[in-house]
Amino acid sequence: AQRVTQPEKLLSVFKGAPVELKCNYSYSGSPELFWYVQYSRQRLQLLLRHISRESIKGFTADLNKGETSFHLKKPFAQEEDSAMYYCAPDKAGGTSYGKLTFGQGTILTVHP
Amino acid sequence: GAVVSQHPSWVICKSGTSVKIECRSLDFQATTMFWYRQFPKQSLMLMATSNEGSKATYEQGVEKDKFLINHASLTLSTLTVTSAHPEDSSFYICSAASRNTGELFFGEGSRLTVL
């Protein structure tokens, strides 16, 4: 069965500390993987996708096919990073960027 | 940037009535829109894929007669919750894939409360 798991529902760190939000997936084929973020009272928005290999707001995510993981990392967390983060593989295999399966989400809180 | 607008943002209705939620792409065309449902403190669950000019594709376990989806134009998809019951109360979110780039944009969501 195709599945995505974010094991941590809540994650708290202090400002300036490194942060890693875990995501593991179980998918057939080669899904495209995304991280979405939802700040307080805002809509869901794309943070980054693995195919572009870019860094957004200091966040990076490496796709590890051996471990089937796509963990989100940032070396120095900022208070404005506090938000809900979703890992999301594309069910359509990257052809539509739309048929996403969302993980359970991780609420990141960065304390001053 | 591209904007997806949902209307209404929140709606309260009586049990047994039908409620329509609109999803509009304001400055781009979307051949494909998606409807998600989110229960409190839970993740988004894909309900259906809405394709312009054709029937929607529903995910397993989603009642197509209960959740009617219409995608009549490249900028509008509607979700109608028919004969709503309290268990249909939820947060409904749509997303739209740009016809040109395929990039996905999300609406702000619509909160439905059925009394």
Side-chain angles (χ1 to χ4, degrees):
Chain A
Q2 297 179 328
R3 194 167 55 231
V4 56
T5 303
Q6 292 180 247
E8 304 137 330
K9 196 172 180 67
L10 301 170
L11 184 61
S12 290
V13 299
F14 285 100
K15 177 182 174 181
V19 63
E20 180 180 68
L21 291 84
K22 292 184 170 55
C23 172
N24 290 91
Y25 65 93
S26 172
Y27 257 68
S28 58
S30 298
E32 181 159 359
L33 287 135
F34 301 82
W35 275 99
Y36 279 84
V37 60
Q38 187 170 28
Y39 299 102
S40 179
R41 295 191 180 88
Q42 295 187 28
R43 68 190 68 198
L44 208 61
Q45 58 185 285
L46 176 67
L47 181 61
L48 55 80
R49 56 184 189 238
H50 91 268
I51 197 169
S52 60
R53 302 183 68 82
E54 56 193 345
S55 172
I56 303 294
K57 298 184 179 182
F59 284 96
T60 59
D62 290 322
L63 177 62
N64 187 321
K65 291 186 178 181
E67 296 180 357
T68 60
S69 68
F70 188 53
H71 302 328
L72 183 68
K73 301 176 184 178
K74 184 169 183 176
F76 307 103
Q78 303 299 316
E79 290 179 66
E80 55 265 30
D81 296 328
S82 296
M84 170 73 96
Y85 291 81
Y86 292 99
C87 179
D90 187 328
K91 284 176 89 171
T95 57
S96 69
Y97 294 155
K99 204 166 184 178
L100 302 172
T101 299
F102 286 89
Q104 300 91 324
T106 299
I107 299 173
L108 172 65
T109 303
V110 181
H111 299 284
Chain B
V3 175
V4 173
S5 176
Q6 282 185 241
H7 178 79
S9 299
W10 58 273
V11 56
I12 301 173
C13 70
K14 292 182 178 179
S15 185
T17 61
S18 295
V19 175
K20 180 186 283 187
I21 301 171
E22 293 185 347
C23 177
R24 292 181 185 272
S25 56
L26 296 185
D27 49 5
F28 66 99
Q29 293 182 330
T31 49
T32 306
M33 291 184 174
F34 302 87
W35 286 95
Y36 290 85
R37 185 173 181 177
Q38 185 177 33
F39 290 106
K41 298 183 180 180
Q42 294 189 29
S43 186
L44 287 79
M45 182 193 77
L46 179 65
M47 298 175 65
T49 303
S50 171
N51 297 299
E52 186 264 339
S54 64
K55 290 183 179 180
T57 304
Y58 291 82
E59 295 300 302
Q60 191 172 11
V62 178
E63 299 176 59
K64 59 181 67 177
D65 294 331
K66 175 75 171 175
F67 299 100
L68 300 179
I69 291 173
N70 183 275
H71 194 156
S73 77
L74 288 172
T75 59
L76 174 65
S77 175
T78 59
L79 168 68
T80 301
V81 183
T82 62
S83 186
H85 291 284
E87 56 265 30
D88 298 325
S89 298
S90 189
F91 197 55
Y92 293 88
I93 300 171
C94 76
S95 65
S98 169
R99 184 186 191 187
N100 293 331
T101 66
E103 190 172 350
L104 196 65
F105 301 94
F106 282 82
E108 64 270 51
S110 298
R111 185 166 300 284
L112 170 64
T113 301
V114 184
L115 302 177

